[in-house]
Amino acid sequence: MAKNKLGTNTICTHTGGIKDEQFGGAVSPIFMTSSYPFMDVDVKRYPRYFNTPNQEAVGTKIAALEHAEMAIPFTSGMAAISTTLFAFLNHGDHIVLQNEIYGGTFNLVVEDFNKMGIEYSFTDGVGVADFESKIKSNTKVIYIETPSNPLLTITDIKAIADMAKKHGLISIIDNTFASPINQTPLDLGVDISIHSATKYLGGHSDISAGAVASSKKHMDKIWHKAKNTGGNLSDFMCYLLERSIKTLGIRVERHNLNAAFMASYLDDHTAIAKVYYPGLKSHPDHEIAKQQMLGFGGMLSFELNEEYDAVKFQNELKLIKPSMSLAGVESTILLPSLTSHALLTPEQRKSVGISDNLLRLSVGIENVEDLVTDIEQALKTFD
Ligand SMILES: *Cc1c(COP(=O)(O)O)cnc(C)c1O
């Protein structure tokens, strides 16, 4: 149902670029100004109005990739998420959120919503009934995230979007893990797609940014909230993000290939108890993933056998670096039990399926043989 006639890599490379009228250079110029005229102009431009030339350029590119009418860039993923939620939730409203969501989003909801008079419920699972059973008379928004962190659970996007429509609710997805290369949720009926552009869209571990993509109607509401909350991305960062997205298609293609290779290598390994990757036939949600994803992404998690100490294993890796973040061209690893899920007790972690030996691997674009060599030498240190 793609609305764009251009191929994805062509959109990545060309769509939304600013023509250099002055010198004819190949790259979008950066317009670093916060001061624009207000007399006799069609558009009153200002950075916090999200309408400077560089903001519009990168927004146009992201909108094309998300098959959306419009997108705007934010200064972080959380600025995009918080602004969008506050655009659609008022005092007295209720939201249903997926149980497994990004830690920052979870913290925003549990720390701030009640004192603002916004009610919330988390689901017990990711099935349609899990969401539908939490809907109340004041529910306004359904919020999902797929693939989820760190167990790569897959939520049936179309089924949830259809259910939200039936009840007249706004549906929002955090599309960060898939990237618009692997998943275009608006085609499946979701109203709003959000990214932490700090991850795949940026892709080089050097940008903090976010983005929201939707119809003009919804974006108008989000824009009105955004100019009050002020999470606008600077023109310089817009330029870097635009430059990064030029290679998004080929980067993600390689992330997909490498992660698929690493998932099956780890799955066959005697030192590994379990692998979580939606591209594996053994993944419980593989069939849904196949239906709604063009590629299975660069993220996977695996559990080391009990006799291995996961902290020591991680410290013995030489090429694969421990990192809180993800989705860079370089492979990185983290232990959810010491980071995102550190505040839970071991028992609580166990109940949500996160063992202390679980490692989350963000597979980069390196040669996979070198990643395998790194893992093998780390395991050898236990001999
Ligand atoms: C990192 C991340 C966020 C938050 O993005 P920031 O750019 O760090 O604010 C939101 N959702 C997911 C899935 C993420 O991985």
Side-chain angles (χ1 to χ4, degrees):
M1 218 188 79
K3 291 190 192 99
N4 303 284
K5 290 199 181 66
L6 296 174
T8 305
N9 282 319
T10 313
I11 295 171
C12 284
T13 317
H14 291 284
T15 303
I18 302 170
K19 198 167 171 199
D20 178 356
E21 301 280 5
Q22 200 173 2
F23 302 109
V27 172
S28 299
I30 314 179
F31 291 97
M32 293 287 282
T33 177
S34 57
S35 177
Y36 288 93
F38 68 94
M39 301 273 282
D40 308 319
V41 289
D42 297 335
V43 187
K44 293 182 183 19
R45 295 186 195 275
Y46 186 61
R48 195 170 38 75
Y49 281 22
F50 295 77
N51 61 0
T52 67
N54 292 97
Q55 287 170 337
E56 287 187 348
V58 74
T60 301
K61 200 187 280 296
I62 294 168
L65 289 170
E66 282 282 332
H67 301 168
E69 287 175 356
M70 192 181 168
I72 53 179
F74 285 83
T75 194
S76 68
M78 284 314 301
I81 291 167
S82 57
T83 302
T84 304
L85 290 175
F86 292 135
F88 290 93
L89 292 167
N90 294 310
H91 194 275
D93 290 342
H94 174 256
I95 176 174
V96 180
L97 303 113
Q98 182 172 320
N99 54 350
E100 284 177 28
I101 55 167
Y102 179 71
T105 313
F106 179 82
N107 291 343
L108 171 74
V109 170
V110 300
E111 288 172 18
D112 292 315
F113 275 27
N114 275 346
K115 70 183 177 211
M116 303 174 87
I118 300 169
E119 297 173 33
Y120 59 86
S121 306
F122 286 99
T123 62
D124 301 315
V126 299
V128 174
D130 293 305
F131 285 86
E132 201 161 26
S133 63
K134 301 284 179 182
I135 292 174
K136 310 203 295 186
S137 59
N138 56 341
T139 304
K140 294 284 155 51
V141 174
I142 301 278
Y143 188 95
I144 64 171
E145 189 173 315
T146 180
S148 74
N149 180 36
L151 295 177
L152 289 308
T153 304
I154 303 295
T155 307
D156 187 333
I157 299 172
K158 184 170 186 307
I160 301 296
D162 287 349
M163 186 276 293
K165 267 203 185 73
K166 190 178 88 187
H167 291 275
L169 309 176
I170 297 281
S171 54
I172 303 176
I173 185 171
D174 183 330
N175 201 27
T176 301
F177 266 37
S179 92
I181 304 302
N182 285 332
Q183 193 164 276
T184 48
L186 269 55
D187 292 340
L188 301 169
V190 169
D191 293 309
I192 300 162
S193 180
I194 306 185
H195 284 277
S196 167
T198 312
K199 313 297 166 50
Y200 285 107
L201 298 185
H204 296 72
S205 309
D206 56 4
I207 292 177
S208 166
V212 181
S214 186
S215 63
K216 280 216 167 68
K217 180 178 142 216
H218 292 320
M219 288 310 297
D220 195 48
K221 218 165 167 176
I222 294 162
W223 175 76
H224 271 279
K225 185 60 68 183
K227 70 188 172 62
N228 291 343
T229 51
N232 49 287
L233 192 61
S234 79
D235 293 314
F236 185 61
M237 283 300 153
C238 287
Y239 162 86
L240 274 181
L241 185 56
E242 190 203 322
R243 173 199 154 119
S244 298
I245 297 174
K246 288 185 185 186
T247 57
L248 179 68
I250 58 165
R251 277 191 283 113
V252 169
E253 212 174 286
R254 181 63 177 253
H255 284 294
N256 289 343
L257 284 172
N258 279 4
F261 181 93
M262 293 306 288
S264 67
Y265 152 73
L266 292 164
D267 203 33
D268 290 340
H269 206 294
T270 50
I272 311 297
K274 202 167 162 98
V275 179
Y276 299 86
Y277 185 63
L280 286 179
K281 283 205 180 68
S282 56
H283 189 288
D285 307 323
H286 177 65
E287 285 306 315
I288 303 169
K290 235 168 57 182
Q291 279 170 31
Q292 68 188 24
M293 301 182 82
L294 289 164
F296 299 113
M299 300 301 301
L300 63 86
S301 289
F302 62 97
E303 230 174 78
L304 279 174
N305 282 344
E306 271 173 22
E307 63 264 32
Y308 295 94
D309 175 54
V311 176
K312 173 173 156 53
F313 170 78
Q314 178 192 268
N315 292 340
E316 294 291 351
L317 291 167
K318 299 207 157 59
L319 198 62
I320 304 168
K321 299 273 182 316
S323 165
M324 284 291 283
S325 198
L326 59 110
V329 289
E330 71 287 357
S331 293
T332 58
I333 199 159
L334 72 63
L335 275 152
S337 62
L338 296 185
T339 53
S340 51
H341 295 74
L343 295 178
L344 304 184
T345 63
E347 291 71 38
Q348 284 173 322
R349 277 198 291 275
K350 209 166 194 168
S351 76
V352 291
I354 294 167
S355 90
D356 290 356
N357 255 7
L358 184 80
L359 290 139
R360 187 193 74 187
L361 180 63
S362 171
V363 184
I365 64 166
E366 301 96 335
N367 295 85
V368 280
E369 311 84 75
D370 297 324
L371 301 177
V372 168
T373 303
D374 196 25
I375 288 173
E376 291 298 332
Q377 67 79 27
L379 289 171
K380 260 213 162 57
T381 63
F382 289 88
D383 290 349

